[in-house]
Amino acid sequence: MVRKLFSRLAMSTTTAARKVTQPPWYPPKVPAGEKPALKLYNSLTRNKETFVPLNHNQITWYCCGPTVYNHAHMGHARNYVCSDICRRILQDYFGYNVEFVQNVTDIDDKIIVAARHEYLFEQMEAQYKEVDEVLLEHAKTYLKEYVAKNLAGFDAELPGLVAWLDSLNLQELAVEQPKLPMYAKAARDAHQAIFKPETDIKRFLAAVKDVLVPSLDKKHGSTVTDPEIFRKLPAFWENKFNQDMDRLNVLQPTVTTRVSEYVPDIIAFVERIISNGFAYATKDGSVYFDTVRFENDPNHDYAKLQPWNKGLLELINDGEGSLSLDGTSKKLPADFALWKASKPGEPAWDSKWGPGRPGWHIECSVMASDILGEVIDIHSGGVDLCFPHHDNELAQSEACFNNKQWINYFMHNGHLHIQGQKMSKSLKNFITIEEALETHSARQLRLVFAFGNWDKPIDFKDALISEVKAYELTLLKFFTNVRALNSDYRHAVSLGQYVSKRLGDVEKALLADLAQAQNDAHAAFCDNLSTPIVLRVVQELISKTNTYIQSTVTGENELRLEPVLAITKWIVKILDILGFPARSDGLGWEDGAESGSGGSSEEIAMPYVKALSQFRDTVRELAKNKAESSAILQASDALRADLINLGISLDDRPNGGALVKFLNEQERAEFLKQQELKKEQALQKEKKKQEQAAANAKKEQERLEKAKVPPQDLFKDTSLYSEWDEQGLPTKTAAGEEVTKSMRKKLTKQQQQQEKLHQEYLQKVGN
């Protein structure tokens, strides 16, 4: 024993004396193929470019916000939801920290005009209590002025206006004059109210408002001086815009900036551009950007986004605003206002150039740079803002900071068309977000936008809506089915039943499908955040999973739930990233019914307990009366119907034990719709059956009446025949002609058939 102890000590000492080395590690081989790199479509190059932020994992992002003077419309929804989806992908999928700044334009020509119009109209509303002759004459005068300005082709008296409008092909003329249908509608509405006339004062004023307020503004606009008037309207519409964005589940900006809170900064920014030699003040107290000086500077380029538009006066003037086109003293038409001298009826701030207000383009440059710095990673907005707004932003910012590239990536969302036509607030052919949400859910609208690439046009048409609703229903059914299977599995485990987890080849293939879908989705996200491809990948994976689930229902395979749950949770994660909130259990997207509790546990449970109690009462009575099994089955079907109304579906399975599904309101409605369809089909089937039975009965009655006739009397019809032989067969027609051999042969055959039929009748009568 002692010897063994010494021997072990010796071995231990020898081992300790040796140098202990770590076994070699063999690094895994780098997978073949190129790793996808994140690329974004950059309007500055009109190509997909590899995305490289300025500061590692940080992204600075400025988004052009709303000009708040009216309802937000579906064009706004397209812009801000698409930006929201892109933002969520970058921060929640790729893991970037995004500093997202969005402005509110609350100083602008459109806002000033809208505020004055609203104020002057309210004053007029207060002035008139009824539609009197004075008001009618004023309205006629305003309509004449409106028609003279906007419908120049009309040169007759006002009563003939509607007939003239009816003679126009407005759809064809709108190609060259896009605003013509809007002008025609306003004139038609006013004409109808004036010449009918409309006696209700509120309806009358509403009908003539669009033709009335331009004339009121022309006469009295300069008298509107109270700053509160110009604050009240944008504050109201800013709040409405935020409410719309909340309903669409658009993330709030990291920082929101308002133009009205940045006027001193704007003045300082303009002064810096002047000192750098790229702007000039005019005698009227305005300041303009010198586009030629900037373009000729070797370190700068003008109109980087759309250089082909830089001389297009229609776009330039639209960017300047309707209040800023008359009497300007700028050097060249392409120069744009940095600071506008305020005229009577416009808000004003003091500056070294005199009382004025900011130009439209300068606002974004100042606010974005104040928060995000002199170079910014991403700037986004609608594609219609490329020129002149964003091109002018770039020019004035690079002129101020003396750098070559103020924005590294410009992301412009594509146009939204409604049933093939471009929407425009200025044309008043828009659908507001409020109106859209009365017909479609916020989830459906987000799906519409996710179905298209963010940088491409989308046509909001019936076919797309149908496709989106079908896609949504596919996901709803899938999630409901998976939750039911999961609940069924947990129930079985809680009862101590053994459930195998061993995966077979079919489950391994399903997991391989998941891995492929994850790779495909990643590649799609890397390729310009391509959500349509990702949604298609999700749909294909659901189809494969449904096929597997169905194979377990038919008994072809035994259900292994874990791969199904893994697939579901990945799909839900992807949808959550796109802005479709996930349920807390990760097995579906959130529905309105899931958020918040509805009363005590007794109140929640009572409808379900009541249904089961009534079922028990029915079954007990049937059992006492020893009813047939069909009566019990009917009671069971009645319980199922009651549970459907409570949002629970019981799906029978071949191996016994119904699968319990909790339905949301949309699924329940769809289920009930299908049930009604089946019921209607059953009624139609029964109706056809009854009609056929009635027809058969009628036919049988006719056959019976015919059977009563003896065969020798079958052809005793003087309207057809005049002579017969001893068997009762006709020999001559009613006209006295001989019956032909072929006809006699035919009549003989009919008589033989009648003989047989009559004998059957006689036997029945005899019995």
Side-chain angles (χ1 to χ4, degrees):
M1 191 64 151
V2 174
R3 186 182 297 170
K4 284 183 179 180
L5 182 59
F6 275 109
S7 175
R8 288 178 183 171
L9 286 170
M11 286 176 65
S12 177
T13 305
T14 305
T15 303
R18 289 197 206 129
K19 183 178 180 183
V20 178
T21 59
Q22 184 76 32
W25 175 74
Y26 303 97
K29 292 181 180 179
V30 177
E34 187 178 347
K35 181 182 177 182
L38 173 57
K39 293 189 175 184
L40 301 178
Y41 183 84
N42 190 353
S43 300
L44 287 164
T45 63
R46 295 195 295 284
N47 280 308
K48 294 176 187 177
E49 306 291 352
T50 301
F51 180 64
V52 182
L54 290 164
N55 185 17
H56 303 294
N57 212 41
Q58 306 290 324
I59 293 178
T60 53
W61 187 332
Y62 182 78
C63 177
C64 260
T67 300
V68 282
Y69 67 98
N70 206 330
H71 287 282
H73 55 62
M74 282 294 289
H76 294 120
R78 197 277 151 103
N79 183 29
Y80 296 112
V81 172
C82 282
S83 293
D84 183 70
I85 290 172
C86 292
R87 175 187 176 187
R88 287 172 181 268
I89 295 171
L90 288 175
Q91 70 183 21
D92 296 335
Y93 184 81
F94 288 103
Y96 288 107
N97 297 311
V98 179
E99 188 176 7
F100 192 90
V101 178
Q102 184 171 292
N103 74 293
V104 172
T105 295
D106 57 351
I107 302 172
D108 176 80
D109 286 33
K110 293 185 178 74
I111 293 172
I112 294 168
V113 171
R116 290 199 313 228
H117 283 185
E118 199 62 34
Y119 173 76
L120 293 170
F121 183 73
E122 287 173 1
Q123 296 296 107
M124 188 168 193
E125 276 186 310
Q127 182 180 350
Y128 290 96
K129 303 301 179 186
E130 61 180 357
V131 183
D132 56 22
E133 288 300 321
V134 176
L135 178 56
L136 279 172
E137 286 305 312
H138 280 313
K140 288 177 184 178
T141 302
Y142 297 143
L143 179 57
K144 281 182 183 178
E145 292 173 358
Y146 186 87
V147 169
K149 181 180 179 182
N150 301 305
L151 299 169
F154 180 71
D155 55 4
E157 294 299 316
L158 272 185
L161 177 63
V162 171
W164 178 75
L165 289 173
D166 289 340
S167 71
L168 300 178
N169 187 335
L170 292 174
Q171 191 172 0
E172 186 178 309
L173 293 170
V175 176
E176 295 295 327
Q177 305 173 66
K179 294 187 177 183
L180 187 61
M182 177 185 72
Y183 296 144
K185 182 182 184 306
R188 186 187 295 271
D189 290 347
H191 187 278
Q192 185 173 353
I194 293 168
F195 288 96
K196 283 293 181 182
E198 172 62 63
T199 56
D200 182 89
I201 184 65
K202 285 189 176 181
R203 286 201 293 267
F204 179 85
L205 289 173
V208 301
K209 181 178 181 180
D210 285 344
V211 302
L212 179 149
V213 289
S215 294
L216 285 179
D217 190 58
K218 185 177 179 181
K219 292 179 180 178
H220 308 295
S222 61
T223 66
V224 181
T225 57
D226 185 356
E228 183 56 31
I229 293 170
F230 301 107
R231 282 195 294 266
K232 178 183 173 183
L233 181 121
F236 173 83
W237 289 114
E238 179 186 344
N239 184 47
K240 294 288 287 182
F241 172 82
N242 290 335
Q243 291 174 5
D244 287 339
M245 293 302 104
D246 286 343
R247 293 179 70 188
L248 292 173
N249 194 33
V250 172
L251 293 172
Q252 291 185 351
T254 313
V255 177
T256 299
T257 59
R258 288 196 192 99
V259 178
S260 59
E261 298 171 347
Y262 267 84
V263 175
D265 308 74
I266 290 170
I267 292 170
F269 201 94
V270 171
E271 288 176 339
R272 189 169 171 183
I273 296 173
I274 292 173
S275 66
N276 287 343
F278 295 110
Y280 57 89
T282 57
K283 292 179 181 178
D284 67 346
S286 299
V287 179
Y288 291 92
F289 188 83
D290 194 330
T291 52
V292 171
R293 174 72 184 275
F294 182 81
E295 192 169 15
N296 290 336
D297 189 284
N299 295 317
H300 296 296
D301 296 287
Y302 180 59
K304 291 180 176 181
L305 292 167
Q306 292 185 349
W308 56 87
N309 278 334
K310 61 184 175 184
L312 199 59
L313 284 179
E314 182 181 355
L315 292 176
I316 293 168
N317 290 339
D318 187 57
E320 289 298 90
S322 61
L323 301 177
S324 311
L325 300 178
D326 298 329
T328 60
S329 52
K330 56 184 177 180
K331 294 178 183 177
L332 292 170
D335 294 349
F336 56 89
L338 302 175
W339 183 259
K340 299 179 179 182
S342 290
K343 299 187 287 293
E346 298 175 8
W349 288 261
D350 290 333
S351 75
K352 63 186 297 183
W353 314 290
R357 55 192 176 88
W360 177 35
H361 315 297
I362 197 69
E363 303 168 353
C364 290
S365 291
V366 175
M367 293 184 289
S369 301
D370 177 60
I371 306 297
L372 302 176
E374 297 184 3
V375 180
I376 298 168
D377 289 313
I378 296 174
H379 191 323
S380 64
V383 68
D384 53 323
L385 297 178
C386 278
F387 184 89
H389 186 50
H390 288 161
D391 268 325
N392 288 351
E393 279 185 40
L394 285 167
Q396 64 203 10
S397 300
E398 290 165 8
C400 178
F401 301 128
N402 261 327
N403 60 13
K404 291 194 172 187
Q405 193 158 287
W406 178 54
I407 300 295
N408 286 339
Y409 299 87
F410 245 115
M411 297 174 66
H412 285 103
N413 296 305
H415 282 303
L416 178 73
H417 294 82
I418 305 291
Q419 304 291 358
Q421 294 188 333
K422 183 180 179 295
M423 270 202 329
S424 169
K425 189 183 284 187
S426 63
L427 300 180
K428 296 188 179 179
N429 68 340
F430 59 89
I431 299 174
T432 69
I433 293 173
E434 278 187 358
E435 290 169 340
L437 287 172
E438 290 174 3
T439 310
H440 312 290
S441 69
R443 180 164 66 202
Q444 288 167 350
L445 295 182
R446 183 171 282 259
L447 273 173
V448 164
F449 301 135
F451 259 48
N453 288 300
W454 60 267
D455 57 327
K456 297 292 190 295
I458 290 178
D459 192 356
F460 191 75
K461 57 185 179 181
D462 294 338
L464 178 57
I465 296 299
S466 297
E467 185 181 359
V468 160
K469 288 182 177 179
Y471 185 92
E472 180 187 36
L473 190 58
T474 296
L475 266 67
L476 282 168
K477 288 180 176 178
F478 175 72
F479 293 145
T480 298
N481 207 22
V482 170
R483 289 197 295 272
L485 291 170
N486 186 51
S487 177
D488 198 53
Y489 167 80
R490 289 178 176 275
H491 181 66
V493 171
S494 70
L495 295 176
Q497 296 178 16
Y498 175 78
V499 181
S500 176
K501 292 181 177 289
R502 175 65 185 265
L503 302 188
D505 290 340
V506 67
E507 287 84 17
K508 292 174 184 176
L510 201 58
L511 287 175
D513 290 334
L514 170 59
Q516 185 60 52
Q518 290 168 333
N519 288 337
D520 293 344
H522 181 71
F525 278 140
C526 286
D527 185 16
N528 197 37
L529 315 178
S530 183
T531 54
I533 294 177
V534 172
L535 292 178
R536 191 163 64 244
V537 167
V538 165
Q539 188 174 30
E540 290 170 356
L541 185 58
I542 286 176
S543 178
K544 292 174 181 177
T545 310
N546 281 336
T547 300
Y548 168 73
I549 292 172
Q550 185 59 32
S551 75
T552 68
V553 173
T554 59
E556 184 181 345
N557 294 295
E558 190 177 337
L559 178 66
R560 300 292 182 263
L561 193 59
E562 286 176 334
V564 175
L565 294 180
I567 287 169
T568 306
K569 289 185 177 182
W570 177 77
I571 289 171
V572 170
K573 175 186 173 184
I574 292 299
L575 293 172
D576 191 43
I577 286 169
L578 298 181
F580 303 99
R583 287 168 53 102
S584 56
D585 60 8
L587 297 181
W589 47 23
E590 192 178 81
D591 291 304
E594 191 191 13
S595 57
S597 60
S600 67
S601 57
E602 290 88 351
E603 290 172 331
I604 295 169
M606 182 53 71
Y608 307 95
V609 174
K610 191 71 176 172
L612 293 173
S613 174
Q614 289 172 346
F615 172 69
R616 176 180 176 274
D617 294 341
T618 302
V619 171
R620 286 183 80 244
E621 286 301 314
L622 291 171
K624 286 179 183 178
N625 298 324
K626 297 181 180 179
E628 295 181 1
S629 59
S630 59
I632 297 175
L633 289 174
Q634 287 177 0
S636 178
D637 289 340
L639 173 62
R640 173 188 278 178
D642 289 340
L643 290 175
I644 284 293
N645 289 324
L646 294 170
I648 296 175
S649 169
L650 301 179
D651 290 3
D652 292 329
R653 293 185 285 187
N655 59 352
L659 184 64
V660 181
K661 294 181 180 178
F662 287 86
L663 308 177
N664 60 36
E665 187 57 36
Q666 188 173 352
E667 288 174 302
R668 192 179 76 85
E670 179 66 21
F671 189 92
L672 291 174
K673 181 181 175 183
Q674 293 300 321
Q675 291 296 99
E676 284 298 316
L677 183 61
K678 286 180 182 178
K679 190 184 293 183
E680 180 63 29
Q681 289 171 343
L683 288 172
Q684 290 298 326
K685 189 175 179 180
E686 181 62 26
K687 184 180 178 183
K688 283 185 178 179
K689 186 178 177 181
Q690 291 175 359
E691 288 174 351
Q692 186 63 46
N696 291 341
K698 183 180 178 183
K699 190 175 180 181
E700 182 61 27
Q701 183 63 33
E702 290 172 350
R703 183 175 179 277
L704 181 62
E705 291 299 319
K706 185 179 179 182
K708 293 178 181 179
V709 179
Q712 59 271 23
D713 294 339
L714 181 64
F715 302 115
K716 294 295 178 69
D717 185 348
T718 56
S719 66
L720 297 174
Y721 308 106
S722 58
E723 292 184 18
W724 298 263
D725 63 13
E726 60 275 10
Q727 283 84 28
L729 286 171
T731 57
K732 288 186 179 181
T733 65
E737 298 176 352
E738 293 286 338
V739 173
T740 62
K741 288 184 178 180
S742 61
M743 175 60 73
R744 185 176 176 83
K745 188 176 180 181
K746 182 178 179 183
L747 294 174
T748 300
K749 189 174 181 180
Q750 290 179 17
Q751 192 182 55
Q752 290 170 350
Q753 291 172 346
Q754 182 66 17
E755 173 70 30
K756 184 179 178 182
L757 188 63
H758 188 63
Q759 286 300 322
E760 290 177 4
Y761 168 72
L762 292 176
Q763 287 176 3
K764 285 182 181 179
V765 172
N767 292 334

